[in-house]
Amino acid sequence: MKRFGTFEGVFTPSILAILGVIMYLRLGWVVGNTGLLGAMAIIVIANLIALATALSMSSIVTNIRIGAGGAYSIIAKSLGLEIGGAIGIPLYLSQAFSIAFYITGFTIAWTGVFPGHPAVMVSAITWAVLLAISFISAKLAFRIQYFIMAVIGFSLLSFFLGRGADVQQVNLFSGLRVTSFWTAFAIFFPAVTGFLAGAGMSGELKDPRKSIPAGTLSAIALGFVIYVTVAFWFARNASPEALAGNTGIIVDIARWKWLMIGGIMGATLSSALSMFVVSPRTLLALGRHEIIPFSRAFSKVNERREPGVAIIFTSLLVLAILLLGSLDGTAVLITMFFLITYGMINMSVFIEQIIGITSFRPSFKIPVVVSFLGALGCAVTMFLVNALFTVVAVAVIVVVYVILVRREMLTHGPDVRSGLLQFISEITARAASRLPYHPKIWKPNLLVPVEAPGEWKNLLQFVSEVSLPRGRIIAFNVMTDKDTVEKKESLAKRRDKLEGLIAPLKEKGIFVSSAIIQSPDFLTGASNIMEMMPALFFPSNVLFLTIGENDKKDLDIKDIIEKAAKESLGIIVLKLHPKMAFGEKKMINLWIREKSPNINLAVLVALQLEKNWDCGFRVIQVVESGAEVERVQNYITRLKELMRMPSGTELKVLVGGFQKALDEAPAADINIFGMPESIVTGFIRETQKKTNT
């Protein structure tokens, strides 16, 4: 059941998380260290990043059904569960760190009023109270926040009506500079992370498409105005020394100190409560998508529709952080985690904008420069804040992503990753088409006609060994009119057979695709495929054919080869040994002849097999008389160097003509010959019998 509207579900938790511990206990310190101008710059930069992210988020939630999980759900539905999970885990951790951060701020405020109370005890009691409220009901938590909002409002009124002991002319540039600008930025930045609190309730909003943009943007706008005003009032009423040396100076400036103390406690408590409600819901969404261990437990809700297990786990994690962390150290960690999340939200929208997919039609439109600058700003800021931690954080995300990819997530939803890759491919293909082709960039991209899919299992394995590691394969089958009438086989069934045949190659990471062509006869269908090749972004460059024991299809093979030659395709014809197939794959004989028009393809195919079989390699050339041996030996030696053949390549010159050489040829598992321009299939069969390979 959808329970919350814009004000209660988005604006209230967002503004209360924004007006939190940073405003009360750290903004004065920022002004004292960087001066008013530096503090304004920090406030503006942080809010611009938050605004760009909020605009991107608002755009994307008006284009999809976001569901539970807030920012995680946005990223997962745009870029896929694997990327969503890689980002969602640090997002959840940042939310848990935020709870500890706010509880620590509350403890500082409390012990400032009651110095006799042990800080550990105060933090533990606060933690327990927040756990109880969030476990009972999110509705109760939000109702408590109305009271806290009133207290915060009165505390700000008390602050602006107060006067510091050191009222002065505002100096824009005065600041102690005891810490760097970006360190101060990192400590301040959690102040603007609160706007995700409202988005985190996405699964329980009555109308998330309306509530998230309206509630989030209004909270950011109001928060910005308040922070700028408070920063100015700090600079007006206290010296840099006082601001930097007394983190609780806001109490001293306020007209009614007890009201300000109540505001500090209320703000920190409400911020912690917001995240205590939101973070288990992120964990709930991660569990429902089976991203994390024990997903089934985390994906459950109790009878009050609260994620009970996720709340308990989150509370224990927060307790551990409280025992180990410090306020400023935690702030830097939160900054990095949230910046990663913000950057990916902006990147998600930027990708959907630039690839031009029709399905991206948000009712809340933003210029593409907003999402781009938002993503760029997050990335640059991360490195400026802490370059080492940025590298580590990105590395962790990559590792998590790789793990999730290898798990092969079963619950794939629609995402734009394939669209992005196609977009990149289109750009690079257009650029490549304007450049001249050179044989240096050749790699095997095979066009393979598969007549009977059931008989091709071993042959496709060999084709993959010619193609690995970076080649491509297009396997096609022609379904003739005769097949339809005699075999009564449907097109869908034939397609399933072909897909099943190439599935093992895809699992090896080979770029392989398939097609079924309906045609009156095989030759017409194969011709149509070859004619279509030049129009593809990634056309095939080699036609791979096989010949059988009998010659009943030789005429068709000859016609196909002639057609392939007209289309400028290289041609490989395989005659398989009927019993031994490819033998033990331990030795290759490459037969060459001087001035052969097709020596390059023969050498390249042989080298591909040598690398993938990890076998011996022998180059053979035939001469008519012994007088030619020395010259030919020198030729193939130079050829070995020029072609960069393996160092262990054996060079052999056979004397006495080709037919005699076939009888005396050293044993090998495969013999590779450069074919004459006029293909004689009978000659190929005879040669295969003589070499017995």
Side-chain angles (χ1 to χ4, degrees), residues 507-521:
E507 291 173 2
K508 291 182 179 180
I510 300 173
F511 187 176
V512 55
S513 55
S514 65
I516 301 290
I517 302 297
Q518 286 186 302
S519 181
D521 56 76

Side-chain angles (χ1 to χ4, degrees), residues 638-651:
R638 292 195 308 272
L639 185 68
K640 174 187 173 182
E641 295 174 358
L642 180 66
M643 295 287 190
R644 299 179 299 284
M645 296 178 185
S647 58
T649 300
E650 180 184 344
L651 305 178

Side-chain angles (χ1 to χ4, degrees), residues 453-603:
E455 302 171 5
W456 264 79
K457 186 174 181 180
N458 291 331
L459 289 173
L460 271 188
Q461 172 63 31
F462 175 75
V463 171
S464 72
E465 291 164 346
V466 174
S467 304
L468 285 169
R470 294 289 181 265
R472 298 188 298 272
I473 299 171
I474 298 178
F476 73 92
N477 177 263
V478 178
M479 193 166 184
T480 64
D481 296 340
K482 184 178 179 181
D483 291 333
T484 306
V485 174
E486 294 183 2
K487 298 181 180 179
K488 297 181 180 179
E489 189 175 22
S490 67
L491 184 65
K493 189 174 181 180
R494 182 71 67 88
R495 183 177 289 111
D496 289 342
K497 284 184 179 180
L498 188 55
E499 280 295 317
L501 182 68
I502 66 174
L505 303 186
K506 290 183 177 180
E507 291 173 2
K508 291 182 179 180
I510 300 173
F511 187 176
V512 55
S513 55
S514 65
I516 301 290
I517 302 297
Q518 286 186 302
S519 181
D521 56 76
F522 185 83
L523 178 60
T524 302
S527 298
N528 290 340
I529 284 281
M530 286 186 284
E531 289 172 358
M532 185 180 66
M533 281 297 113
L536 299 181
F537 277 134
F538 302 110
S540 297
N541 52 26
V542 174
L543 175 67
F544 182 93
L545 297 171
T546 61
I547 61 172
E549 292 300 312
N550 59 62
D551 59 2
K552 65 178 183 179
K553 293 185 178 180
D554 283 6
L555 187 60
D556 283 346
I557 291 173
K558 181 180 178 182
D559 290 339
I560 291 172
I561 288 174
E562 289 178 354
K563 181 67 177 179
K566 291 179 181 178
E567 299 295 338
S568 300
L569 289 170
I571 301 160
I572 297 174
V573 180
L574 173 71
K575 175 62 178 71
L576 191 64
H577 193 285
K579 294 181 180 180
M580 294 187 295
F582 300 103
E584 297 180 345
K585 299 182 180 180
K586 289 185 177 179
M587 176 58 73
I588 296 171
N589 281 347
L590 171 62
W591 297 69
I592 63 171
R593 52 195 172 93
E594 290 182 77
K595 299 180 181 179
S596 169
N598 52 25
I599 189 172
N600 292 317
L601 182 58
V603 171

